[in-house]
Amino acid sequence: MSARMTLATAARVLRQVRHDPRTVVLIMLLPCLLIGLVAWMFDGTPVLDTIGPTLLGLFPLLVMFLVTSVTMLRERLGGTLERLMTLPVGRGDVVVGYALAFGLLATVQAVVVTFFAVVVSGMDVVGPVPALVLVAVLNALLGTSLGVAASSVARTEFQAVQMMPAILFPQIILGGLILPRDQMPALLEAISVVLPLTYGVDALQSLARDPDVDAIWGDVVVIAGFVLVALVVGARTLRRRTA
Amino acid sequence: MARHVAEQVRSSGGRPGPGSRADAVVRIRGLRVVRGATEAIRSLDLTVPGGAVVGLLGPSGSGKTTLMRAIVGVQVVAAGTVEVLGRPAGDPSLRREVAYVTQAPSVYPDLTVGENLRYFATLLRTGPDDVARVLDAVDLTAGAGRRVGTLSGGERSRVSLAAALLGSPRLLVLDEPTVGLDPVLRRDLWNLFGRLAASGASLLVSSHVMDEAVRCDRLLLMRDGAILADDTLASLLERTGTAYAEHAFLALVEGASEAAR
C-alpha cells in the first residue's frame, strides 16, 4: 500500500461525487428532513431526545453502504476495476481510498445533520455532541467497508441495493434499537454480540442519556475493529484474476 | 492480387521484420482456459515476437479476449504457462510494463478526460507531461475538459487507449481498439500503433475486421479457442493462394475441417 495511491484514489472518488451534485444534496438534506419530521410529530415530548441520536448515527451507515456498494459495483461491471487490478495499485489502496472519500463525505453529513437536529429541531443530547459525530462517522466507515464486500456478491445494481436489507436490517433489528438486548431471547442476544451495529447503537444510546463520554470508548474500539476487519474482507473481494 | 497486398504490407512496415523467437515478449505453453461449462482455450502454444504489431484476428467468440486476458494475467487459467517479458503473466513487476485496453472503454464516465488520465498517471507514477503526451497521441487534447460520459463511443475508447499509453509500457494488449471508429481515425490509430512499435514497444491488437490484417507485422488467426495460423500476411496469402486475409482465413478453416474428416 502507498499513501500516494490511497489519497489519489480518495481524491478520484470525491471528484466523481462532485460531478453528481444532486446526490450530494440528497445525502445532506434527506436526513435533516426525516429528523425534522420526527421532531414535528413528537413535538413537546422527549422522543426526539431519546431516538434522535440513534437515528443520527444510522443515516451515515445506511447511506454510505448504499453509495459504496453501487459505486463499487459500477467499478466491477464497467471494467475500471479490472484496469486498476492491472496497474501498480494495491487492493488496500483502492478500498482505503474509498473509505477515506466516503468517510469525509459522511463527516460533513454528520456535522450538517447534527447541527440541524440540535439547533433547528431542538434535540437535546446529554453526552458531548462531537462524540455523537465521531460515532456517526465510524458507522459510516463501517457502511463503506461492508458496502465494498457486499458489492462482490451482487451481479447487478438491483441486487446491490437489495444487499442493504440483507446485511443491515438484521443488525438494526437485533442491535437493541427495537427491543433492549437483555430482553431478547438468549440466542438472538448471543447473535447480536457479533454484529457490529450493536456497538454503534449502544454508543449512541449511551450518548443520548449519559453525560459521561467514557462510557462509549469500549464501543468505539469495537466498531473500529469491525471497520478494520471489514476493510480487509473488502480488499480481499477485489480479485486480480477472474474467471 | 496476392502480390499487390503483400507489397502493401511490406511498404507499410518499412522496418526490419518482427523480432526473432529469441526476443519474444510472450511465450505460452499448453494454455487451457475454461469459462463456465465451455473450454474457451484448449492446449494453446504461442510465441509473440517483440517490437512488432501482432494482429490477433478471428470471429467473435473465438477466444481472442480470453487469450489476451491470460497474457495480461487477469484470467484464471486451468493449465499451462504464460510468460510475459520473461516473467509469469500477472507478476506484480509487469503492472508497469504491460498495458491492457479492454473492448468496452474502462474509464470513469463521471470524470473528465483529464481527470481520468491524471488519476491513472498518478498510479503509474508519471506526471502531467505524460498526460499531455497521450492526449496528443489519441488527438483528444482539445477535449481534455469534457466529461467522458458525454463523449461519443469512439472518443471514449480513445480515452481508454490513452490511459494505456501512460508510462510508455513495453507491451500493449489492445482488445478491438478500432471498433466503431470512422475510417480516418482507424487509419490514424494504426499509424500510431506502427510508430509505437517502431519506437520499440510490442503490440498485440485484436480485431474481427480482417481488413486490418494489412496493418500488422504478423498475424495470429484464431478460431474455436485455437490458433489457426501464426504467420505474416504475405506468406499466409501465398500459402493459401488467396488475395485477402478474409479468404485466407476461410481457406484455412476449410482446410482444417477437411483434414479433420
Side-chain angles (χ1 to χ4, degrees):
Chain A
M1 273 188 69
S2 103
R4 182 191 160 92
M5 301 208 182
T6 307
L7 290 176
T9 303
R12 185 264 295 172
V13 174
L14 286 173
R15 266 187 211 106
Q16 287 178 289
V17 172
R18 201 188 59 194
H19 282 298
D20 186 3
R22 193 181 294 196
T23 295
V24 177
V25 169
L26 283 173
I27 286 177
M28 301 300 160
L29 221 60
L30 213 56
C32 293
L33 287 175
L34 295 174
I35 290 277
L37 199 63
V38 173
W40 186 15
M41 191 159 77
F42 295 103
D43 193 22
T45 72
V47 170
L48 183 66
D49 301 344
T50 321
I51 67 163
T54 314
L55 275 181
L56 249 159
L58 280 179
F59 287 128
L61 173 83
L62 298 176
V63 172
M64 295 307 151
F65 179 89
L66 264 184
V67 171
T68 311
S69 50
V70 171
T71 322
M72 204 64 211
L73 187 75
R74 275 190 207 153
E75 286 243 30
R76 290 178 199 270
L77 297 180
T80 46
L81 184 68
E82 185 166 80
R83 163 164 259 150
L84 290 181
M85 292 294 99
T86 66
L87 291 174
V89 57
R91 299 185 291 179
D93 293 322
V94 177
V95 174
V96 176
Y98 264 91
L100 282 180
F102 289 133
L104 190 68
L105 195 63
T107 307
V108 178
Q109 185 197 38
V111 169
V112 168
V113 183
T114 307
F115 178 85
F116 181 88
V118 173
V119 176
V120 181
S121 304
M123 183 177 82
D124 198 14
V125 187
V126 178
V129 173
L132 180 61
V133 174
L134 171 75
V135 175
V137 170
L138 275 176
N139 273 346
L141 290 178
L142 183 68
T144 290
S145 40
L146 289 175
V148 173
S151 74
S152 70
V153 188
R155 291 285 166 270
T156 65
E157 293 191 11
F158 285 143
Q159 291 177 15
V161 172
Q162 292 302 316
M163 287 295 147
M164 191 182 77
I167 291 176
L168 294 188
F169 281 21
Q171 299 194 49
I172 292 175
I173 294 169
L174 296 176
L177 202 61
I178 296 174
L179 186 71
R181 287 172 50 233
D182 50 17
Q183 294 171 29
M184 296 194 303
L187 178 63
L188 295 184
E189 191 189 349
I191 293 173
S192 76
V193 172
V194 296
L195 300 178
L197 190 58
T198 302
Y199 302 89
V201 171
D202 191 54
L204 292 165
Q205 287 179 339
S206 158
L207 287 168
R209 53 161 200 265
D210 189 349
D212 182 16
V213 70
D214 287 343
I216 69 161
W217 295 130
D219 289 324
V220 165
V221 169
V222 175
I223 304 168
F226 272 114
V227 169
L228 276 180
V229 171
L231 283 177
V232 172
V233 171
R236 303 280 303 173
T237 67
L238 310 186
R239 297 255 178 252
R240 295 271 181 198
R241 278 180 193 269
T242 51
Chain B
M1 192 63 192
R3 185 171 304 156
H4 168 69
V5 178
E7 215 65 58
Q8 250 188 4
V9 176
R10 252 172 252 130
S11 58
S12 77
R15 58 180 176 276
S20 62
R21 300 270 140 168
D23 56 8
V25 283
V26 178
R27 277 173 218 276
I28 299 176
R29 294 291 167 264
L31 177 67
R32 189 169 161 264
V33 178
V34 181
R35 299 192 81 173
T38 57
E39 208 173 19
I41 291 182
R42 357 159 240 186
S43 184
L44 182 145
D45 295 309
L46 177 67
T47 305
V48 180
V53 180
V54 178
L56 178 59
L57 303 183
S60 52
S62 58
K64 301 190 296 291
T65 299
T66 308
L67 176 60
M68 292 186 136
R69 283 170 48 83
I71 291 171
V72 180
V74 296
Q75 176 68 50
V76 175
V77 303
T81 58
V82 181
E83 209 176 77
V84 179
L85 302 171
R87 282 155 277 170
D91 190 85
S93 70
L94 289 172
R95 285 177 203 146
R96 225 173 280 280
E97 298 173 66
V98 179
Y100 174 42
V101 178
T102 50
Q103 211 167 326
S106 49
V107 282
Y108 299 100
D110 42 3
L111 292 181
T112 67
V113 175
E115 286 170 338
N116 266 290
L117 295 178
R118 282 194 292 278
Y119 174 54
F120 294 124
T122 310
L123 301 186
L124 285 159
R125 295 181 193 279
T126 66
D129 294 351
D130 206 31
V131 171
R133 177 185 66 86
V134 300
L135 275 172
D136 184 53
V138 300
D139 196 21
L140 273 175
T141 306
R146 291 175 62 196
R147 276 251 297 276
V148 169
T150 66
L151 301 177
S152 72
E155 288 168 323
R156 269 186 229 198
S157 45
R158 273 147 69 205
V159 181
S160 195
L161 175 64
L165 298 177
L166 288 165
S168 305
R170 287 171 65 195
L171 171 64
L172 279 150
V173 180
L174 313 176
D175 200 353
E176 310 227 350
T178 58
V179 147
L181 298 186
D182 75 69
V184 177
L185 268 171
R186 258 170 64 179
R187 183 202 58 200
D188 291 352
L189 281 187
W190 278 103
N191 287 343
L192 170 67
F193 301 159
R195 287 200 303 279
L196 290 167
S199 69
S202 308
L203 291 90
L204 182 63
V205 185
S206 79
S207 176
H208 66 260
V209 187
M210 292 285 172
D211 291 351
E212 298 194 317
V214 191
R215 308 302 308 263
C216 304
D217 297 317
R218 199 172 177 85
L219 295 179
L220 299 168
L221 296 192
M222 212 175 167
R223 188 169 187 261
D224 288 341
I227 301 283
L228 211 54
D230 174 3
D231 212 338
T232 61
L233 177 59
S235 117
L236 197 66
L237 296 181
E238 208 172 279
R239 196 147 58 86
T240 52
T242 52
Y244 296 104
E246 179 131 17
H247 296 167
F249 182 82
L250 288 172
L252 286 168
V253 171
E254 275 152 21
S257 50
E258 252 159 54
R261 230 175 280 150

